[in-house]
Amino acid sequence: MRRCIDRLFVLATAACLLFALGVISFIVGVIVWRGFGALSWQFLTDQIRSAGAAGGIFYNIVGTLILLATALIVCVPLATGLALMHGVYLKKQRSRERLWLFLSVLNGVPSILFGLFGLMVFVKFFAWGKSWLAGGVLLGLMILPTVAVALLERIKTLPRPYIEAAAGLGLSDSQRVWSVVLPQSVGGLVTGLLLGLARAAGETAPIMFTATIFAGANIPTGIKESPVLSLPYHIFVLAQDSFDPAAAENLWGSALVLLGLVLLLSLLALPARLNFHEEAEK
Amino acid sequence: MIETKSKGQSDPSETRTCILETRQLKVYAGKQVLLQGIDLGISEGEVFGLIGPSGAGKSTLLRCLNRLIDLDQGLRVEGAVLFHGQSVRGRAMDVDELRVRVGMLFQQPVVFPLSILKNVIFGVRHQRKIARRDRLLVAEKALREAALWQEVKDRLQTPALKLSVGQQQRLCLARTLAMEPEIILMDEPTSALDPKSTQAIDDLIMELKKKRTIVLVTHHLNQARRLCDRVAFISAKSGEGGRIACMGETETVMSRTDLAELSDFVGCEQGVTCCES
């Protein structure tokens, strides 16, 4: 009987795994199947033409990368600070719980509300207008909880003897953070960033009010009123408004490029993540 | 300030000044008392042993001496710890500087996932600026003092975690010695080691005691007999905090038969009788 239950349990978990793999494979398969035909050197290097029915997505890729890079620059110091506050500097359990609650709430805010917040604060109040900076900062704030939680979870698992040994050698709080806590936890930061940026790369709602337009922009030269093109918004508009079959092909091609971008981010981070794991296991 | 005689001095009447002492030191975890009314004085150049059963508070006492206990949340310390007559818990005391001067060697070797060389200079490079070319000299001096130089001199760049546990413990000692502390607190430094490595550490302590003051927590009475000038026996009845039951020159304390707890402890170590504590 017990063996029967064991086997049923294994079967149930295997079924879950197969279901998840099936869904992912189906989504990826459809995107590759429908989008592969659109891919060409010209598609990747040309600018948008004929309302998306012709030309390429070069500036959409560039715009997306600018937004992601800005989000990364905004998010890394903030997430590191929050994680260090939680894991190192806040001594009272209640304070840590409040910070955790704040991060959970922030993580639960719908992306459309982030978009409205960005519209009110960055676009209107700061008078940046539609700008890559507004969108990048907003995306950085949106992925902040993901990155901070990944880092602070890693800090929590840091071997306590490391901290004690460093303190026993007379290292101050800040020296312990720079020499022990951060080098040993940076794998968590990379993991969190990877997850966060992958999410940010596909977000449309926060940037549609604040940073991106469908056509008519290239490399931004200023901060105020400097919108960029982006892949998610491009896909969103083509999917919603275009009845042209050529545009539909470009839509799937853009989706495939976006998928590839997320995969590339994962691959870029992989050597660093593996290296950190090996360091920890040595 | 307390003055004490020290074993091995040519003139028995010679006295040494205490450099580290505690006065009515108490430690609480909530309402529970971990240590009660600890008074002791440690003289310059002596090896002072803390012996006693597990859970008596020996390590807690040790961690009070360089304020490493500050890292343990929920513990409350009362009383005084004086280093050269200055309260280590006073506002004027720089706790990081205190820990440089009162170094610590832990029960388990704690090596960082770095090279042997980087481990040795890990603390000292934060304490003062060392030119890159001088790092090797600093490391060599510390490794020689910790009797590890001959074993690692050709592989200083290899990961320290590849060393044996005994070598790792000597590496940790080298790392502490590189800071040039006045006092080294050793918390059962040989408890995780095999007899050969234990002997190596014991020999090192014998060598180090010529130049430094050492406070040694140990369960091994033979080790205490061999190394310590004086010992304090810390006992704890159930529900009460640890207290110093007796203190004095090592042989004098070991030979006391009027203290039941000490007799039990010594008896257990020698296999004479079995004790519960």
Side-chain angles (χ1 to χ4, degrees):
Chain A
M1 183 64 184
R2 282 171 62 183
R3 290 186 74 179
C4 226
I5 291 172
D6 279 354
R7 280 183 182 174
L8 271 175
F9 186 73
V10 172
L11 276 174
T13 51
C16 291
L17 174 68
L18 284 175
F19 179 74
L21 281 177
V23 170
I24 292 166
S25 304
F26 179 73
I27 293 169
V28 172
V30 167
I31 293 172
V32 172
W33 179 56
R34 301 285 299 267
F36 196 74
L39 287 191
S40 67
W41 182 246
Q42 192 195 1
F43 182 69
L44 294 174
T45 56
D46 200 359
Q47 61 179 318
I48 183 171
R49 294 177 200 282
S50 309
I57 54 168
F58 178 70
Y59 289 117
N60 301 76
I61 297 172
V62 171
T64 302
L65 290 177
I66 288 172
L67 290 175
L68 291 184
T70 312
L72 186 142
I73 290 166
V74 169
C75 182
V76 168
L78 287 175
T80 307
L82 286 175
L84 289 176
M85 279 306 290
H86 188 280
V88 179
Y89 294 112
L90 286 181
K91 304 293 181 201
K92 289 183 179 170
Q93 181 66 17
R94 182 172 285 185
S95 307
R96 287 201 292 263
E97 282 169 2
R98 282 181 184 163
L99 180 55
W100 184 268
L101 181 69
F102 163 73
L103 290 172
S104 304
V105 170
L106 194 63
N107 200 33
V109 173
S111 55
I112 189 74
L113 295 188
F114 268 104
L116 289 174
F117 169 79
L119 178 68
M120 287 173 62
V121 176
F122 300 131
V123 178
K124 306 261 188 201
F125 185 72
F126 288 165
W128 290 353
K130 268 200 173 183
S131 157
W132 58 273
L133 184 63
V137 171
L138 207 54
L139 287 176
L141 293 177
M142 212 180 73
I143 64 174
L144 183 60
T146 309
V147 183
V149 167
L151 181 57
L152 72 85
E153 287 291 347
R154 186 61 71 93
I155 290 174
K156 267 195 221 169
T157 61
L158 198 66
R160 186 173 161 80
Y162 280 1
I163 305 292
E164 293 197 340
L169 289 166
L171 270 68
S172 64
D173 274 356
S174 60
Q175 287 173 330
R176 291 201 293 271
V177 164
W178 283 109
S179 306
V180 181
V181 177
L182 287 179
Q184 298 298 319
S185 318
V186 75
L189 184 68
V190 172
T191 307
L193 269 178
L194 175 70
L195 292 170
L197 289 178
R199 181 186 165 196
E203 282 292 347
T204 312
I207 56 173
M208 63 194 287
F209 300 132
T210 55
T212 187
I213 54 176
F214 179 66
N218 44 43
I219 308 285
T221 51
I223 290 177
K224 288 187 174 182
E225 300 292 352
S226 296
V228 288
L229 305 187
S230 68
L231 285 170
Y233 190 61
H234 186 71
I235 295 166
F236 172 73
V237 173
L238 288 184
Q240 200 175 35
D241 299 335
S242 179
F243 299 99
D244 188 333
E249 193 178 23
N250 281 354
L251 154 70
W252 287 106
S254 304
L256 183 56
V257 171
L258 185 57
L259 191 67
L261 189 68
V262 173
L263 193 66
L264 185 69
L265 280 174
S266 308
L267 290 176
L268 282 176
L270 198 61
R273 291 181 67 197
L274 286 176
N275 189 32
F276 295 134
H277 286 303
E278 281 166 13
E279 279 282 310
E281 283 165 11
K282 269 180 195 170
Chain B
M1 204 176 278
I2 303 168
E3 290 189 330
T4 60
K5 290 180 193 173
S6 184
K7 182 173 140 185
Q9 286 177 263
S10 53
D11 180 2
S13 64
E14 189 184 336
T15 55
R16 290 182 180 182
T17 309
C18 272
I19 56 171
L20 190 61
E21 59 185 296
T22 67
R23 290 181 188 165
Q24 284 300 300
L25 184 71
K26 301 182 185 84
V27 180
Y28 301 89
K31 288 181 180 174
Q32 191 192 351
V33 185
L34 301 182
L35 284 175
Q36 50 172 324
I38 302 288
D39 286 303
L40 58 81
I42 295 157
S43 306
E44 191 176 3
E46 76 170 338
V47 178
F48 188 91
L50 293 170
I51 58 172
S54 299
K58 304 183 295 295
S59 298
T60 305
L61 172 56
L62 205 66
R63 292 165 72 86
C64 290
L65 300 180
N66 68 348
R67 279 185 56 183
L68 211 59
I69 200 157
D70 291 3
L71 301 184
D72 299 317
Q73 286 168 25
L75 296 188
R76 196 174 83 250
V77 181
E78 287 179 4
V81 179
L82 304 176
F83 179 50
H84 288 292
Q86 187 185 0
S87 170
V88 304
R89 297 175 58 221
R91 284 188 181 176
M93 178 61 71
D94 178 344
V95 66
D96 301 322
E97 179 61 26
L98 171 74
R99 288 169 187 160
V100 169
R101 295 172 71 186
V102 184
M104 185 136 187
L105 188 65
F106 296 89
Q107 197 170 351
Q108 301 278 346
V110 185
V111 296
F112 298 104
L114 302 167
S115 69
I116 293 169
L117 178 65
K118 282 183 178 171
N119 262 282
V120 179
I121 60 167
F122 187 87
V124 74
R125 76 187 167 89
H126 287 101
Q127 186 201 1
R128 58 178 190 266
K129 278 196 172 178
I130 309 173
R132 197 166 281 273
R133 62 180 179 282
D134 293 335
R135 289 182 177 181
L136 193 62
L137 295 174
V138 171
E140 181 181 342
K141 187 181 171 213
L143 286 166
R144 279 188 190 281
E145 206 174 351
L148 193 60
W149 174 250
Q150 289 302 326
E151 294 164 58
V152 300
K153 64 181 180 184
D154 299 324
R155 47 179 178 144
L156 290 173
Q157 299 300 336
T158 56
L161 286 161
K162 288 189 174 170
L163 296 173
S164 71
V165 180
Q167 287 173 324
Q168 285 184 16
Q169 190 64 306
R170 277 183 286 154
L171 179 66
C172 292
L173 184 57
R175 192 172 61 196
T176 305
L177 289 170
M179 311 290 290
E180 298 181 355
E182 285 177 54
I183 302 176
I184 305 175
L185 310 176
M186 297 186 173
D187 189 0
E188 298 182 50
T190 58
S191 65
L193 306 185
D194 59 43
K196 194 178 166 192
S197 303
T198 300
Q199 185 60 49
I201 295 282
D202 282 2
D203 292 346
L204 263 173
I205 295 172
M206 290 295 280
E207 197 58 35
L208 287 172
K209 70 188 277 189
K210 293 174 188 165
K211 286 188 270 183
R212 298 179 203 277
T213 308
I214 294 169
V215 184
L216 175 70
V217 169
T218 181
H219 274 302
H220 302 296
L221 295 183
N222 281 336
Q223 190 179 40
R225 277 197 186 94
R226 216 166 37 243
L227 302 175
C228 299
D229 298 305
R230 292 189 306 136
V231 294
F233 175 71
I234 301 183
S235 71
K237 289 174 184 166
S238 62
E240 294 176 17
R243 59 183 176 80
I244 293 183
C246 63
M247 179 168 65
E249 288 188 8
T250 309
E251 279 312 319
T252 312
V253 170
M254 298 286 186
S255 58
R256 279 185 68 167
T257 51
D258 55 321
L259 276 172
E261 293 156 302
L262 179 60
S263 296
D264 277 353
F265 187 68
V266 174
C268 270
E269 171 79 9
Q270 293 168 341
V272 174
T273 180
C274 184
C275 55
E276 295 288 320
S277 57

